[in-house]
């Protein structure tokens, strides 16, 4: 399921970004290509203005000048003097059906069909002398190529000179095609990189969800396993109680009561953790004295430690500690969990030390024991739900939820809890508030 979601999120993320990138690329290409056409057309107009000025200043148009102008601007010239083609054109267009001649005729027809005259001016106060030219774009029907065309008309008295000039847009179109090809390659490379990035990014986003799902599945499996054992004992004891004599029924009923209490404690622990998951964890902070709270916990667990021949001691600072804003019942619950674990996993004649310190506006509650200790690998998982180190799996009174509950309580107080190794063996649990 998560693999399909991962793929779909990757395609969605990469697809949306790629579409936006392609749209932006198309917009840029549109503006850029229009700018290139406009600049090319303006350059062509400037050249035509220069050519027109030169023609006005010349009394004779030589074939050498025409050839030079064609080569210089990569233009095609077609000159008519009072409707008669120049010898230059007759030599270059021996065949009237040549491609060159067809292009010039198409340009002339396009000029006759256009109403846009880009420039018109009289160069003299004598109205008998006129000079004007018009530039336009057209597509050749014979070659299917684009051109800029211009028609220059020079007239004086009864004589007229008509010059048709063509400029091919092939180099401009090649430049535009090259630009489009570069953008296609860039977009493809970007789409590939976006896909890779989206795959990694969505994977990182899904990782906490996958881990949470795995933890929930593991939680349900572990809870079912923990509940199965007391249920089996209760059912077995109840079945035996039916046929057992009266003197033995009390033992079976006691077993049922004990296992029922174990199940009740387990359910209560699970409800506590469920409340923290649903952001309904009940914490009611108030000003409390942590040294007094620690002393009360010490007095409550000292008899239990004595029963196991364990030395339980407490170390309090000489100066009075300031009050701490915390939930007294929840903090007492954390201390009880840590003390209960320490007593359970510390062998006889062992030692457990409680201490509290105040440094830089932080309270440090420590519980040190010289018990079985915790490996570095187990330290990473010790606060996971239903996790128990291998040495303690035989302990019936522990379900692996105590440290998880302690961790959630301290987290709700914006504090921290950590475990380190004690010198000479054992562990030190430190709560920072």
């Amino acid at each position: 399921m998560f693999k399909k979601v991962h793929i779909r999120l990757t395609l969605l993320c990469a697809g949306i970004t790629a579409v936006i990138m392609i749209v932006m690329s198309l917009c840029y290409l549109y503006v850029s290509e229009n700018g290139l056409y406009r600049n090319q057309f303006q350059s062509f107009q400037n050249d035509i203005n220069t050519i027109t000025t030169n023609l006005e200043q010349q009394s004779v148009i030589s074939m050498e000048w025409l050839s030079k102008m064609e080569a210089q601007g990569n233009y095609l010239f077609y000159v008519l003097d009072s409707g008669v083609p120049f010898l230059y054109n007759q030599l270059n267009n021996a065949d009237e059906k040549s491609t060159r001649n067809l292009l010039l005729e198409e340009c002339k027809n396009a000029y006759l069909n256009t109403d846009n005259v880009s420039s018109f001016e009289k160069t003299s106060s004598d109205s008998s002398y006129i000079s004007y030219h018009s530039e336009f774009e057209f597509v050749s029907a014979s070659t299917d190529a684009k051109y800029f065309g211009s028609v220059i008309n020079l007239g004086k008295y009864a004589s007229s000179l008509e010059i048709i000039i063509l400029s091919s847009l092939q180099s401009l179109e090649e430049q535009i095609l090259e630009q489009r090809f570069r953008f296609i390659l860039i977009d493809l490379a970007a789409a590939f990189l976006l896909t890779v990035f989206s795959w990694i990014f969505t994977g990182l986003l899904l990782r906490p969800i996958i881990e949470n799902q795995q933890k929930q599945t593991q939680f349900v499996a572990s809870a079912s396993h923990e509940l199965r054992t007391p249920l089996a004992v209760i059912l077995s004891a109840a079945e035996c109680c039916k046929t057992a004599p009266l003197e033995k029924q009390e033992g079976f009923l006691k077993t049922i009561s004990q296992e029922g209490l174990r199940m009740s404690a387990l359910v209560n622990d699970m409800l506590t953790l469920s409340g923290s998951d649903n952001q309904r964890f009940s914490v009611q902070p108030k000003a409390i004295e942590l040294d007094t709270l620690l002393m009360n916990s010490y007095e409550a667990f000292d008899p239990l430690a004595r029963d196991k021949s364990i030395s339980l001691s407490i170390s309090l600072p000489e100066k009075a500690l300031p009050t701490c804003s915390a939930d007294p019942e929840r903090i007492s619950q954390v201390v009880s969990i840590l003390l209960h674990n320490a007593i359970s996993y510390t062998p006889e004649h062992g030692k457990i030390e409680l201490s509290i310190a105040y440094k830089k506006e932080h309270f440090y509650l420590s519980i040190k024991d010289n018990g079985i200790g915790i490996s570095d690998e187990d330290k990473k998982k010790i606060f996971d739900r239903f996790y128990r180190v291998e040495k303690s799996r035989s302990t019936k009174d522990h379900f692996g939820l105590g440290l998880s509950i302690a961790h959630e309580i301290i987290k709700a107080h914006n504090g921290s809890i950590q475990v380190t190794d004690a010198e000479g063996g054992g562990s030190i649990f430190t709560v920072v508030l």
Side-chain angles (χ1 to χ4, degrees):
M1 179 185 70
F2 284 107
K3 186 175 182 180
K4 290 183 178 179
V5 173
H6 192 185
I7 294 173
R8 290 177 181 176
L9 285 177
T10 299
L11 294 177
L12 179 64
C13 182
I16 292 176
T17 310
V19 168
I20 294 174
M21 181 184 61
I22 291 172
V23 171
M24 296 299 294
S25 298
L26 293 176
C27 292
Y28 173 81
L29 287 174
Y30 176 78
V31 174
S32 175
E33 291 176 10
N34 284 341
L36 289 173
Y37 272 107
R38 186 167 52 253
N39 293 337
Q40 188 83 354
F41 189 69
Q42 290 177 352
S43 177
F44 179 70
Q45 286 181 317
N46 294 333
D47 289 347
I48 297 301
N49 288 329
T50 303
I51 292 172
T52 303
T53 302
N54 290 336
L55 289 172
E56 291 172 353
Q57 296 173 355
Q58 295 183 83
S59 58
V60 176
I61 302 176
S62 64
M63 295 177 62
E64 181 182 358
W65 182 85
L66 288 173
S67 178
K68 180 180 178 181
M69 294 302 295
E70 281 193 342
Q72 182 177 351
N74 195 23
Y75 295 141
L76 294 178
F77 278 74
Y78 190 83
V79 187
L80 295 173
D81 185 6
S82 299
V84 179
F86 264 30
L87 178 61
Y88 176 80
N89 297 116
Q90 294 178 7
L91 293 175
N92 288 338
N93 299 282
D95 183 5
E96 292 184 356
K97 294 183 180 181
S98 66
T99 301
R100 180 187 176 100
N101 203 40
L102 288 175
L103 283 174
L104 293 170
E105 289 297 329
E106 289 173 350
C107 178
K108 187 174 182 180
N109 292 333
Y111 165 72
L112 294 175
N113 293 329
T114 185
D115 295 329
N116 182 25
V117 179
S118 62
S119 177
F120 176 84
E121 62 176 328
K122 291 184 178 181
T123 60
S124 173
S125 60
D126 184 358
S127 60
S128 62
Y129 181 73
I130 59 174
S131 170
Y132 64 91
H133 55 89
S134 176
E135 289 77 52
F136 49 90
E137 181 182 350
F138 79 99
V139 180
S140 171
S142 59
T143 62
D144 198 27
K146 292 182 179 180
Y147 294 87
F148 286 144
S150 177
V151 176
I152 303 175
N153 284 282
L154 299 175
K156 186 175 183 180
Y157 303 109
S159 176
S160 65
L161 185 67
E162 187 177 41
I163 303 171
I164 302 173
I165 303 176
L166 280 178
S167 174
S168 175
L169 298 181
Q170 182 179 357
S171 61
L172 179 61
E173 290 182 332
E174 290 176 353
Q175 180 182 354
I176 290 175
L177 286 176
E178 183 180 353
Q179 181 176 258
R180 290 178 179 177
F181 182 71
R182 285 200 302 267
F183 266 81
I184 290 174
L185 291 179
I186 292 173
D187 287 345
L188 289 175
F192 174 76
L193 293 176
L194 280 172
T195 303
V196 174
F197 171 78
S198 299
W199 178 264
I200 297 173
F201 181 70
T202 53
L204 293 176
L205 288 179
L206 288 174
R207 183 178 297 174
I209 301 176
I210 295 173
E211 291 178 354
N212 186 53
Q213 178 69 21
Q214 291 175 346
K215 287 182 178 179
Q216 287 183 357
T217 303
Q218 183 181 2
F219 181 83
V220 172
S222 300
S224 301
H225 176 75
E226 294 293 346
L227 288 170
R228 186 183 297 116
T229 301
L231 275 175
V233 174
I234 289 173
L235 292 175
S236 177
E239 191 68 26
C240 294
C241 191
K242 294 179 182 179
T243 58
L246 291 176
E247 61 272 12
K248 292 185 178 181
Q249 286 183 1
E250 183 178 355
F252 290 121
L253 292 174
K254 184 178 180 180
T255 300
I256 293 174
S257 177
Q258 290 176 346
E259 296 300 322
L261 291 175
R262 289 187 66 241
M263 288 183 61
S264 177
L266 176 58
V267 171
N268 288 334
D269 289 346
M270 290 191 295
L271 289 175
T272 300
L273 292 174
S274 176
S276 67
D277 291 338
N278 296 326
Q279 307 298 324
R280 292 186 287 103
F281 201 78
S282 176
V283 174
Q284 299 177 351
K286 61 179 68 174
I288 62 173
E289 297 177 352
L290 289 179
D291 50 355
T292 302
L293 184 146
L294 200 65
M295 179 62 72
N296 293 336
S297 298
Y298 163 78
E299 293 175 352
F301 279 86
D302 186 53
L304 181 62
R306 290 178 181 274
D307 290 341
K308 289 193 63 175
S309 301
I310 295 174
S311 173
L312 180 62
S313 61
I314 184 171
S315 174
L316 300 176
E318 295 181 359
K319 294 182 179 180
L321 296 175
T323 58
C324 175
S325 179
D327 188 326
E329 294 184 3
R330 293 296 187 183
I331 299 301
S332 294
Q333 185 179 2
V334 171
V335 176
S336 297
I337 290 171
L338 297 178
L339 278 174
H340 191 265
N341 283 350
I343 293 173
S344 298
Y345 302 137
T346 300
E348 291 185 359
H349 308 294
K351 294 181 180 181
I352 299 176
E353 299 177 10
L354 282 74
S355 64
I356 185 171
Y358 182 74
K359 301 176 184 177
K360 298 180 180 180
E361 299 184 352
H362 286 79
F363 295 92
Y364 295 85
L365 283 74
S366 298
I367 298 177
K368 176 183 177 182
D369 65 67
N370 61 349
I372 61 176
I374 303 172
S375 67
D376 292 338
E377 185 65 25
D378 290 328
K379 286 188 181 72
K380 302 175 183 178
K381 305 175 183 179
I382 198 68
F383 296 106
D384 291 348
R385 299 172 186 182
F386 288 108
Y387 184 81
R388 290 176 293 182
V389 295
E390 190 67 28
K391 295 179 181 179
S392 63
R393 288 194 180 275
S394 59
T395 307
K396 287 185 62 178
D397 294 337
H398 293 270
F399 302 104
L401 294 179
L403 290 178
S404 300
I405 294 173
H407 180 267
E408 295 296 334
I409 292 174
I410 298 303
K411 186 171 70 172
H413 284 79
N414 296 320
S416 64
I417 181 172
Q418 57 187 359
V419 58
T420 56
D421 293 330
E423 294 183 5
S427 304
I428 304 175
F429 282 86
T430 304
V431 175
V432 183
L433 296 172

